[in-house]
Amino acid sequence: MNDITPIVDGLKKPFGVALEGDYLYITQWGDSATAGSGSVVRVNKRDVNSAPVTIATGLGMPTAVAVDGEYVYTDTRADQRLVVRVKKDGSAPAHHETIASGLDDTGGVAVDGKFLYLTNVTSKIPPPPHDSVMKAKKDGSEATHPTVIADSGVDRPAGMVMDGEYLYITKLEDGSVARVKKVTSEPVTIATGLDLPSGVAKDREYLYITQDQAGSVVRAKKDGKDPSHHETVATGLKDPRGVAVDGDDLYIVNVGTDSVVKVRMRVPA
């Protein structure tokens, strides 16, 4: 069992998390019976007594979150099926700019200097051939026609993290992680044998992947040379979803306790 430190409790169905500097940006669904009750909040990872600051409101079951210099990017899935951005300073939480539209169901988002990247899930069983990874200009100028990067080998894509020229995507369908280039490319398998992989984060050498059903986090080498080999670095969690990494610490959305927790990794000898 790891040392688990609560960072923020009392959230309303949290899901995704992104880390920038001292701040965590967290999506929460709110009251799922009430349309548009989802939000994004910001908390200081160093001050567990500080109250969450509201960054975005009026969202429909937001799942994914990414941050760049000025904006927070998230999805609104329950009604409009969009990816939007809001000012990350919280000055206009109800003002959303649409970055991608006409989607089915998003699972992960990432941004670089020019583009927004997203996973798009049709939610049909068995998965049709157009579960996909897509990109659109992050200024919203391509909102109605995002470009497909990969539409095979990415069945049931969930979380996503960007690392240089690559995107790493967790796949619920077969319990794996795939890597694709940010230009059109075929997926490469990086990790296999996972138990409902959801969130994913990265550092210089490893991916950190939450396993929802197992209540754990595992790490796997980013190079994919041994996909079946991964190491458990955190246990004792309840429905972990989003994850961010900061040195030896993981920040994890613990859906089962409506909280975000900090976990010091226990790395196998």
Side-chain angles (χ1 to χ4, degrees), residues 15-16 63 107-108 156-161 168-172 175-177 194-201 208-213 216 239-243 253 255:
F15 209 100
T63 298
R156 297 282 177 270
M160 178 168 62
V161 67
Y168 294 87
I169 301 126
T170 57
K171 296 166 53 185
L172 295 173
S176 69
V177 176
L194 303 171
D195 183 5
L196 290 181
S198 182
V200 58
Y208 300 88
I209 306 145
T210 58
Q211 297 190 114
D212 181 14
Q213 201 163 42
S216 65
D239 299 329
R241 299 296 174 89
V243 60
V253 175
V255 174

Side-chain angles (χ1 to χ4, degrees), residues 32-44:
S32 57
T34 303
S37 65
S39 64
V40 177
V41 297
R42 183 186 69 210
V43 298
N44 189 322

Side-chain angles (χ1 to χ4, degrees), residues 86-142:
V86 296
K87 289 288 186 71
K88 75 175 186 183
D89 61 8
S91 59
H95 179 66
H96 313 152
E97 296 180 70
T98 298
I99 308 302
S101 61
L103 306 172
D104 292 294
D105 197 356
T106 46
V109 297
V111 289
D112 63 13
K114 187 175 181 180
F115 290 100
L116 163 85
Y117 303 87
L118 63 98
T119 61
N120 188 44
V121 189
T122 63
S123 299
K124 295 178 181 177
I125 299 175
H130 52 274
D131 281 358
S132 60
V133 181
M134 311 170 83
K135 71 176 182 179
K137 287 184 178 179
K138 70 178 187 178
D139 62 4
S141 61
E142 295 179 346

Side-chain angles (χ1 to χ4, degrees), residues 92-266:
H95 179 66
H96 313 152
E97 296 180 70
T98 298
I99 308 302
S101 61
L103 306 172
D104 292 294
D105 197 356
T106 46
V109 297
V111 289
D112 63 13
K114 187 175 181 180
F115 290 100
L116 163 85
Y117 303 87
L118 63 98
T119 61
N120 188 44
V121 189
T122 63
S123 299
K124 295 178 181 177
I125 299 175
H130 52 274
D131 281 358
S132 60
V133 181
M134 311 170 83
K135 71 176 182 179
K137 287 184 178 179
K138 70 178 187 178
D139 62 4
S141 61
E142 295 179 346
T144 59
H145 50 282
T147 301
V148 174
I149 297 172
D151 62 358
S152 65
V154 287
D155 296 340
R156 297 282 177 270
M160 178 168 62
V161 67
M162 181 177 64
D163 185 42
E165 65 177 319
Y166 295 110
L167 300 166
Y168 294 87
I169 301 126
T170 57
K171 296 166 53 185
L172 295 173
E173 183 70 14
D174 61 1
S176 69
V177 176
R179 183 184 70 200
V180 299
K181 288 188 175 181
K182 293 191 294 186
V183 296
T184 302
S185 65
E186 289 296 316
V188 174
T189 299
I190 301 299
T192 59
L194 303 171
D195 183 5
L196 290 181
S198 182
V200 58
K202 55 88 179 178
D203 62 15
R204 181 173 297 181
E205 187 175 2
Y206 292 98
L207 299 175
Y208 300 88
I209 306 145
T210 58
Q211 297 190 114
D212 181 14
Q213 201 163 42
S216 65
V217 179
V218 300
R219 73 176 189 179
K221 287 283 190 76
K222 290 191 300 187
D223 60 18
K225 291 180 179 179
D226 188 359
S228 64
H229 178 70
H230 29 79
E231 303 167 320
T232 300
V233 295
T235 58
L237 303 166
K238 295 183 179 180
D239 299 329
R241 299 296 174 89
V243 60
V245 62
D246 182 24
D248 291 330
D249 293 323
L250 297 171
Y251 294 90
I252 301 162
V253 175
N254 225 16
V255 174
T257 58
D258 283 333
S259 65
V260 173
V261 298
K262 181 174 77 171
V263 176
R264 177 57 59 98
M265 283 187 273
R266 292 187 181 274

Side-chain angles (χ1 to χ4, degrees), residues 4-25:
I4 299 176
T5 303
I7 298 297
V8 58
D9 292 310
L11 298 172
K12 297 179 179 179
K13 298 179 182 176
F15 209 100
V17 62
L19 172 65
E20 185 184 61
D22 285 342
Y23 294 103
L24 298 164
Y25 296 82

